[in-house]
Amino acid sequence: MIQVDEKPVKWYQGMTIADLLEQMEDVRFCSVVRLNGRLVSSPKFADTRIPKDAVIQLLPLVAGG
Amino acid sequence: MGHMQLKEIKAAPYERAEVKKGYTDQSLHINLDKTDIRISPIDTAVKEKFIGGKGYDLWYMWNAVTGSTKWDDPENTICISAGPLGGTPGYPGGGKSIVTAISPLTGAPIDSNVGGYFGPYKKFSGFDVIALTGKADQDTVILIDGIESKIKIFAASDLPETAYEMSDALTRYFDEEKPVNISVVTAGPGAENTYFGCLNFSWFDAGRKRVRYKQAGRGGIGTVFADKKIKAVVARFGAISMKTNNPADLEALKTVTKTHAKEINALDPKQNRMALVGTTHLVPIMNDHDCLPTHNFKFGSHPGAAVIGEDVYEHIFDKGFDGCWRGCAVACSHGVKDFSPFTGPFQGKKVFVDGPEYETVAGCGSNLGIFDAHTILEINFYCDAYGMDTISVGTSIGFVMECFENKLITTDHTGGMDISFGNRHSTLALIHQMARGEGFGAIVGKGVRQMKQIFATQYHADAAFMQDIGMESKGLEFSEYITKESLAQQGGYGLALKGPQHDEAWLIFLDMVHNFMPTFEDKAEALHWFPMFRTWFGLCGLCKLPWNDIVPEDNKDTEEPAKVIKHIQWYADFFSAITGKKTSTDDLISMSEAVYNFQRVFNLKMGYGTRDHDTIPYRAMGPVTAEEYESRQERYDTQLTEKYGMDISGMDTNAKVAALRKERESQYEQLKDAVYERRGWNRNGIPTKETVKRLGIDFPEVLEVLEQNGVK
Ligand code: SF4
């Protein structure tokens, strides 16, 4: 299991952030997540594997400036 | 240096106007030519149309200058205003000052939105806006004392040189016992000797028992301040509470303040953690999205960015409450204590650095090829202490470095300095020179636009290449985002009234990452709505960050998440609670639209404000050089073939650069057309008579300016 926005989500070996978002609804604005405290941005979603027991926060809009 | 001396040369007692529903309805005019102090009421019609803040500033400036006024003419007027909502303790971002003047860099009105307590203290002392005009014949300090209801003008001598020391000395001088009652506005030696001088607005950090400051950075208002021989303007006021604005509905104000603050307290730790890292979280995010300027905006990412972002600064920032306004829950104005510079007048001493924010890290770090958190801190410290805008400093030095690496300038011109990318010693040496107005630094301190001219005429450098890589528009240096892949943000910069600063529109992610505005009309709509709403913060005396840097958890379920509608409703409630005027979210936009268009006409009055002046350098649109193209070849090749349907098989890189450029420049022109139409402007970018009539700014002098520019 991993925690995504404080809710448990089923985890599997090799799961990437892109895979996680694929199975979630309403994530069209998610271009950055925090994976175990570290920022990961959308260009890296497909290559970033989620470790077991990870804690993930989906960051909403990036507002800038 | 001797002991600081302040000799009172004028004192004017006054009856402090009561604040009613966020307004004092009084303006304070200080003419330094005559050491004249005048207080006058603000017309109801001006209040209705210009709302406050930037609106008031622009109106008073418009009346003070003519179309031929230059930045260093005595009639150039620095206006500072707080806005009706400014000075609400506990409301996140509820206490900004808005400063304007005719800019030394652009020749047109410039505005800057800044923290610190000055704006609210000045308002509560009795003045919605202050206008500083004329030039003193000696160094001058102005005190607005709302506790004793007196305005005083002092001749000053032996003041500390830097803003860092001067803010502290004047804070303690004017209220030794209660330094928290004081806010000081200062510039510094760099403001005297460059065209991008900033103003430092202070507050006393009661927790750390020290003076802190934030900067009104853009456009050289500090340079105008120094040119008037003003060393400092000080506001003094006592205890404030939610009642000090005398709101129309105190209970409603308490409710909306509590609601917004509570949400930030709950969600910031789950979102951007600005209370811990400020805006440095943007460094890795921009880097990953290829939007972090590196090497004079040539590229958008660099492996070195990993050591200049939030991961590092979170551990360097001093722990404690960091609101630049009282009780601001975002509390993002971090600093570093006991920092020891390795160069300059503070070498080896321990100082407190206020910052850095994202813009400084990007502008004075990655953009210069400097990937060292401590050097960035040192640059940040000296720019503030000298009174120089870190954005213009970073963007100007980046330009110089690229010119140097391309041999457009050599050590013959730089006084022997190697100004290659990454050279932190030369960067700091240049900054010290700029502040003293000496050596090659004196030329860099004139900004990118003037450097282009000097390098071309005196050093015979390639003018066309410098036009492409010199990151300025309207004379103002770009703030720190790469816009090559976001046409909407190219417009966000190029079509911004004061020049390329991101505070009007920041659309990179909506456009480039989410592709939510595929058509020109979509982009034009965004380039209408966002600048209008963002302008509203400047009218009211607020900080924009609490609007959309922390968003409600259910924001994504709303119809237009980018607008963060729930917060806009809170802002409408906030405005209603203070002013007593029942206000809808649409009303906020119409308030701004009048002032926004007025500012465009003001640009026109000063000889700017037309289509030509909305031009941006090609580097903001696409790859200038083969090196840039080849670094992202797959991206550009795909665009040429798929988006533009070209056969590129026989093309070399230079041919591809040229082909892409033709397309992108044409797109930018089409974007201008779409935005002008949406804003109710003609094809030359000038508001039509119908537009100014609809907005109620069809004053005779506005119509006269339009007519002079061919608007029938
Ligand atoms: S959000 Fe940050 S910059 Fe804005 S008022 Fe609060 S502390 Fe200052």
Side-chain angles (χ1 to χ4, degrees), chain B residues 626 629-630 633 636-641 644-663:
Chain B
Y629 189 101
E630 283 164 6
Q633 177 153 1
Y636 298 135
D637 279 357
T638 307
Q639 283 181 17
L640 285 177
T641 50
Y644 303 117
M646 286 182 199
D647 175 6
I648 58 168
S649 48
M651 288 166 111
D652 66 9
T653 304
N654 286 333
K656 289 191 225 171
V657 168
L660 189 65
R661 179 171 187 151
K662 202 166 154 228
E663 296 298 338

Side-chain angles (χ1 to χ4, degrees), chain A:
Chain A
M1 277 299 177
I2 55 174
Q3 294 288 318
V4 181
D5 283 348
E6 295 167 0
K7 292 187 194 88
V9 171
K10 221 167 144 195
W11 173 85
Y12 54 84
Q13 188 75 42
M15 184 187 206
T16 65
I17 294 174
D19 297 332
L20 169 72
L21 294 179
E22 186 93 35
Q23 69 184 50
M24 299 191 71
E25 284 176 8
D26 265 346
V27 289
R28 62 196 177 127
F29 272 107
C30 182
S31 49
V32 184
V33 304
R34 243 178 228 289
L35 169 62
N36 291 334
R38 301 293 298 272
L39 292 167
V40 183
S41 299
S42 54
K44 294 183 173 169
F45 284 174
D47 298 330
T48 305
R49 295 203 171 184
I50 302 173
K52 199 178 165 198
D53 299 325
V55 176
I56 294 174
Q57 281 153 338
L58 308 183
L59 299 194
L61 292 165
V62 175

Side-chain angles (χ1 to χ4, degrees), chain B residues 676-696:
Chain B
Y676 293 162
E677 193 180 335
R678 176 62 188 90
R679 289 181 180 173
W681 297 356
N682 68 18
R683 279 184 57 96
N684 197 22
I686 303 176
T688 62
K689 281 196 177 166
E690 293 70 45
T691 299
V692 297
K693 260 191 201 129
R694 175 175 62 81
L695 298 170

Side-chain angles (χ1 to χ4, degrees), chain B residues 66-82:
Chain B
T66 70
S68 56
T69 298
K70 300 284 171 264
W71 73 271
D72 54 353
D73 286 338
E75 69 262 28
N76 189 9
T77 300
I78 299 171
C79 290
I80 311 178
S81 184

